[in-house]
Amino acid sequence: MSYPLNKQEGFDVSLRFWLERFFYTKLMKLSAHRVKNKNEFAEVIQDIQSGGRQSIDAIIAVCKRARKVGLIGINTYVNPLFAFYNYCLKVGFEDMRDIEADNVHEFLSIYTTNLSFATIRNYQFALTNFFEFIQKNNILDNGASHIYTMDIIQTNRSFKQELPEYLTQDELKRFLEALKRYDIPQKHVNKTVKLRNQLIILMIAYSGARVSEILELNFKDISIDGEYYLVRLHGKGNKMRTVYILRKLIEHYFNAWIAMRSSFPNAREEMPLFINRKLNVPAQSYIYVIIENLLANIGIRKAKNGAHLLRHSFATMLYTKSKDLILVQESLGHSSIETSRIYTHFDNNKLKNAANVISNIES
């Protein structure tokens, strides 16, 4: 179905209209397998269809509700597109046709400064998808469509892919010891919160899983296979993968948590594994803060101290011990082996071999 490119109410309403139509389409297409409350999800879908009349803050709130009810992938588009909306208002466009390649390049140059390579690529991906959607669905007064040349989104700016931060084997050992002590200042901490957080972080450290993958686990996703826990993870794009964790590493915490969780009023097995007494799942940002506090408490300072630091540490140790890049790709759920290849940069033995080769020039 086609829609007029511009709304009579002005540019800001026009842009909000297209943002709403774009997010409505994404809500309908993104993976909703984790959505439990179908009625609330239906309300979210209805609330994204105001025709651009609601404020940008209201649209943001709707997208946050969509993520909260369990829709996976919506955050990929939220930050880039709402930042682009603010940029367009500052520029002062009067017509949707005023947005040109140079404007997109300028936006990317200003708003992605000092962001990681992956985040910059995400901004480009979100903008590309947005303009492709408008191009496919808009109609002008003469019955034609306004064409946005899609390759304008691919900026010529060169990127430097930074090596990920990781913990050495000694640092990881110190971190796990600190996690077991859990002697950090924290509000509203009790025996239940402590045990739940310890198990979540241990599972991240011992599997290399993303924090979101662990927080989305259900009872049925974990089973026993001899000396191991078999854990079925729902990765990006709803791709399933299996990882194993030695039972002896987490069994005490796992059994204690299952017993404690069973005492929660109204808690049921079909609910996520990690909940509080109000039956809510902790936020990813909350787990990041706990990990940062644990690291700070033992004097470890990295450029990025979040939960992804544990994932990078797992991947680095896995490659340096196995030299198996395919194993790293499968364990971490990377869609491309090129993503996994970055961990080969930490193979110091290969670098030492290179030094030995060049040293022969003196002999």
Side-chain angles (χ1 to χ4, degrees):
M1 185 173 181
S2 298
Y3 304 93
L5 181 64
N6 290 293
K7 305 284 285 186
Q8 293 182 350
E9 295 91 334
F11 174 81
D12 56 338
V13 175
S14 299
L15 185 53
R16 290 201 300 271
F17 167 79
W18 284 109
L19 285 170
E20 284 191 328
R21 294 310 307 170
F22 178 75
F23 279 113
Y24 170 79
T25 302
K26 291 301 177 185
L27 292 179
M28 301 300 290
K29 291 183 178 180
L30 289 171
S31 175
H33 76 278
R34 289 292 182 180
V35 174
K36 302 299 183 184
N37 191 327
K38 306 301 181 183
N39 290 331
E40 187 173 357
F41 185 48
E43 291 177 4
V44 169
I45 292 175
Q46 291 301 315
D47 289 345
I48 202 70
Q49 302 182 74
S50 78
R53 291 183 294 275
Q54 61 183 332
S55 68
I56 195 65
D57 289 337
I59 300 174
I60 293 173
V62 173
C63 291
K64 287 182 177 179
R65 283 170 53 203
R67 184 64 186 90
K68 189 174 181 180
V69 300
L71 192 71
I72 297 174
I74 195 69
N75 286 347
T76 300
Y77 306 96
V78 168
N79 288 339
L81 293 181
F82 290 134
F84 185 70
Y85 171 84
N86 290 328
Y87 162 82
C88 288
L89 293 192
K90 291 177 181 178
V91 171
F93 294 125
E94 296 182 356
D95 191 298
M96 289 292 296
R97 290 170 293 186
D98 293 341
I99 304 174
E100 298 180 349
D102 289 344
N103 304 121
V104 177
H105 291 169
E106 182 179 82
F107 165 77
L108 290 170
S109 178
I110 295 171
Y111 282 80
T112 63
T113 301
N114 298 324
L115 295 181
S116 69
F117 173 82
T119 304
I120 294 171
R121 296 298 295 174
N122 183 65
Y123 268 64
Q124 292 183 333
F125 174 79
L127 283 164
T128 299
N129 272 253
F130 181 53
F131 280 103
E132 285 178 346
F133 175 80
I134 299 176
Q135 178 171 295
K136 184 178 180 180
N137 293 282
N138 84 86
I139 187 170
L140 301 174
D141 293 339
N142 61 5
S145 297
H146 182 68
I147 303 299
Y148 291 98
T149 306
M150 286 303 101
D151 59 7
I152 65 174
I153 307 302
Q154 301 303 322
T155 173
N156 292 325
R157 173 182 171 186
S158 61
F159 300 111
K160 179 180 72 173
Q161 185 169 8
E162 298 179 355
L163 297 179
E165 292 277 5
Y166 69 100
L167 298 176
T168 65
Q169 190 165 327
D170 178 67
E171 288 173 333
L172 183 57
K173 182 179 178 181
R174 289 168 54 202
F175 172 80
L176 294 174
E177 290 171 349
L179 174 62
K180 292 173 183 178
R181 294 194 303 270
Y182 207 89
D183 52 358
I184 57 174
Q186 182 184 347
K187 293 181 179 180
H188 311 300
V189 66
N190 53 42
K191 185 178 179 180
T192 302
V193 171
K194 175 182 174 181
L195 177 60
R196 182 199 63 198
N197 293 351
Q198 286 174 317
L199 181 57
I200 289 172
I201 297 172
L202 283 172
M203 293 185 72
I204 294 170
Y206 287 132
S207 70
R210 301 175 180 91
V211 61
S212 60
E213 293 171 339
I214 296 299
L215 292 178
E216 291 174 358
L217 287 173
N218 287 329
F219 273 91
K220 65 181 181 180
D221 295 323
I222 302 178
S223 58
I224 293 176
D225 185 355
E227 298 179 357
Y228 302 89
Y229 284 111
L230 188 155
V231 185
R232 287 168 285 273
L233 300 173
H234 299 263
K236 289 184 176 180
N238 197 26
K239 294 178 181 178
M240 296 289 297
R241 77 178 188 281
T242 298
V243 297
Y244 288 86
I245 303 175
L246 272 170
R247 286 172 60 185
K248 66 180 183 180
L249 297 176
I250 65 170
E251 188 167 34
H252 167 73
Y253 296 89
F254 185 81
N255 290 341
W257 171 248
I258 296 302
M260 186 172 290
R261 185 188 182 282
S262 65
S263 67
F264 293 0
N266 303 317
R268 300 187 303 276
E269 284 197 1
E270 60 267 25
M271 293 177 178
L273 179 61
F274 295 110
I275 55 177
N276 57 25
R277 291 187 179 275
K278 295 182 179 179
L279 310 181
N280 295 320
V281 177
Q284 293 185 45
S285 57
Y286 170 78
I287 302 300
Y288 269 67
V289 170
I290 299 301
I291 292 173
E292 289 174 352
N293 289 341
L294 286 165
L295 289 166
N297 207 35
I298 56 177
I300 295 179
R301 296 284 189 275
K302 302 287 182 178
K304 296 180 180 180
N305 281 342
H308 235 55
L309 180 66
L310 299 181
R311 178 171 163 85
H312 291 318
S313 303
F314 175 90
T316 301
M317 192 173 301
L318 179 60
Y319 179 75
T320 55
K321 290 182 179 294
S322 70
K323 301 296 188 293
D324 189 339
L325 204 56
I326 299 297
L327 179 60
V328 174
Q329 180 190 8
E330 292 179 349
S331 297
L332 270 70
H334 290 153
S335 59
S336 169
I337 198 169
E338 294 305 315
T339 306
S340 309
R341 198 176 298 281
I342 192 171
Y343 296 105
T344 63
H345 292 290
F346 302 113
D347 191 352
N348 291 330
N349 288 329
K350 283 188 176 180
L351 298 178
K352 289 175 182 177
N353 289 336
N356 293 333
V357 167
I358 196 67
S359 68
N360 291 333
I361 196 172
E362 294 292 336
S363 55

